[in-house]
Amino acid sequence: MPLNRPRAAYLATSVPQPASSANTKAPSPTSSCTKETVLPGLSWLKGQAPVVALADEEYPPWLWTILESRTFTEEEMEPGSIGFKAKMRKERKAKIRLANFMKTQMKRNPRKVRWTKAFRKAAGKEMTIDSTIEFEKLRNVPVRYDRDLVQTTIKAMKRVAEIKQRRERAFWKHRMAVAREKRKTSRSRAKERLYQREAARDAAIAASYEQPDDVELAQASDELDMVKPLQNSTSERVIIKERAIVKDKKKLQRSSALVAGSGRSMGMEMD
């Protein structure tokens, strides 16, 4: 690049100009089924030709966003608008689903259903004896309205809720600590049992392979001096060789897993 090139030329060619937003089009997502892919199970007429997937460009653009959740604006969320109606419809469906679930659970004993308060309290998973629980009891005593009393009661309710939350947290930590210790002891016992089984198995394998000839042969080899020549070389060599042959024969002879029966064998007699 020449050094005497004008500055305007550098500015014109160095930074590319962004394309206008009107001309750019968001790329459509790629379909999982390529073109000419046979889609089984979509034919509804007898003898109809199999349905084949088309190219991504041949599908309408709304098809790619049909599964996306619709977001409503603030104007559409006003009472009576389409967004508000959709929200209320969703809440009604959730309430109906919860009511149907509770109808199926009402036939069961609540002390035997794990997610109920009665089961959790009976199993010791929640606090049952605490001073903060006394404030939540229903009192059938009419009280005359007093503004100061209402404000004091509201403040006391907030304070009691904070204290109860801290105590529940401490109760949960204590319960988890006990459970952690139980888990540790159970794991250590399981490891001990596993080690005992492995030791018993290794001892049984070692006992099955242990032979008296191996010990005698080892003692004989220890008594021999491999550096000095043998005094009675012929007799000792013959003894060692015979022991080695007997050892090899015992290794080759394996005990059969079949057990001889005491009864007669099965047979067929012809008249």
Side-chain angles (χ1 to χ4, degrees):
M1 186 180 292
L3 299 176
N4 56 358
R5 189 174 180 182
R7 183 171 179 273
Y10 285 105
L11 295 175
T13 58
S14 59
V15 180
Q17 298 295 331
S20 60
S21 61
N23 296 332
T24 58
K25 184 184 292 185
S28 60
T30 306
S31 176
S32 60
C33 300
T34 58
K35 188 178 180 180
E36 303 298 334
T37 303
V38 179
L39 305 176
L42 297 181
S43 303
W44 63 89
L45 297 178
K46 186 176 181 179
Q48 182 182 359
V51 180
V52 181
L54 303 176
D56 295 347
E57 297 79 11
E58 300 181 19
Y59 291 107
W62 56 265
L63 184 64
W64 306 108
T65 58
I66 192 171
L67 297 179
E68 295 179 0
S69 59
R70 183 177 176 182
T71 56
F72 298 99
T73 59
E74 294 181 358
E75 296 179 356
E76 293 176 343
M77 292 300 295
E78 293 180 357
S81 59
I82 182 172
F84 183 79
K85 291 180 180 178
K87 180 182 177 182
M88 295 300 296
R89 192 183 306 114
K90 189 175 181 180
E91 291 179 356
R92 284 196 298 268
K93 286 183 179 180
K95 289 180 180 179
I96 292 171
R97 194 180 297 110
L98 180 61
N100 294 337
F101 173 73
M102 294 303 298
K103 285 180 182 178
T104 59
Q105 299 296 322
M106 290 299 290
K107 299 178 182 178
R108 304 171 62 183
N109 187 358
R111 291 182 179 273
K112 296 182 179 180
V113 183
R114 299 185 64 87
W115 55 268
T116 57
K117 285 280 188 180
F119 175 85
R120 294 185 63 82
K121 288 182 179 180
K125 295 180 180 295
E126 290 189 3
M127 291 191 307
T128 55
I129 301 173
D130 194 75
S131 59
T132 56
I133 303 175
E134 301 294 329
F135 293 98
E136 298 180 1
K137 288 186 177 180
L138 181 64
R139 294 173 177 80
N140 297 323
V141 178
V143 180
R144 188 174 182 178
Y145 175 76
D146 187 2
R147 186 174 183 179
D148 297 335
L149 180 62
V150 171
Q151 292 179 358
T152 307
T153 305
I154 292 173
K155 292 179 181 179
M157 288 170 61
K158 293 180 181 179
R159 180 61 179 167
V160 169
E162 293 176 0
I163 297 171
K164 185 179 180 181
Q165 187 176 4
R166 286 201 302 269
R167 291 184 180 179
E168 286 179 351
R169 181 67 179 176
F171 179 81
W172 180 83
K173 284 185 177 180
H174 177 69
R175 188 165 61 88
M176 289 296 106
V178 175
R180 196 179 300 111
E181 293 297 330
K182 291 182 179 179
R183 199 180 303 117
K184 285 182 180 179
T185 53
S186 63
R187 286 179 180 176
S188 61
R189 290 176 182 174
K191 286 182 179 179
E192 290 178 0
R193 290 194 295 267
L194 178 62
Y195 294 154
Q196 291 176 0
R197 287 197 298 268
E198 290 180 354
R201 183 190 62 188
D202 296 342
I205 292 173
S208 62
Y209 283 104
E210 186 178 355
Q211 296 179 359
D213 291 340
D214 297 342
V215 179
E216 294 177 2
L217 187 60
Q219 291 176 358
S221 61
D222 292 340
E223 292 174 358
L224 296 175
D225 194 350
M226 305 304 293
V227 179
K228 296 181 180 180
L230 297 175
Q231 297 178 359
N232 192 1
S233 59
T234 306
S235 60
E236 292 185 358
R237 286 176 183 175
V238 170
I239 292 171
I240 294 171
K241 188 175 181 180
E242 289 178 356
R243 288 179 179 176
I245 293 170
V246 171
K247 179 183 175 182
D248 295 338
K249 285 183 179 180
K250 287 187 177 180
K251 284 185 178 179
L252 293 174
Q253 292 176 358
R254 295 181 179 177
S255 60
S256 176
L258 301 177
V259 180
S262 59
R264 295 191 304 172
S265 60
M266 297 177 63
M268 296 179 65
E269 297 178 0
M270 301 297 292
D271 294 336

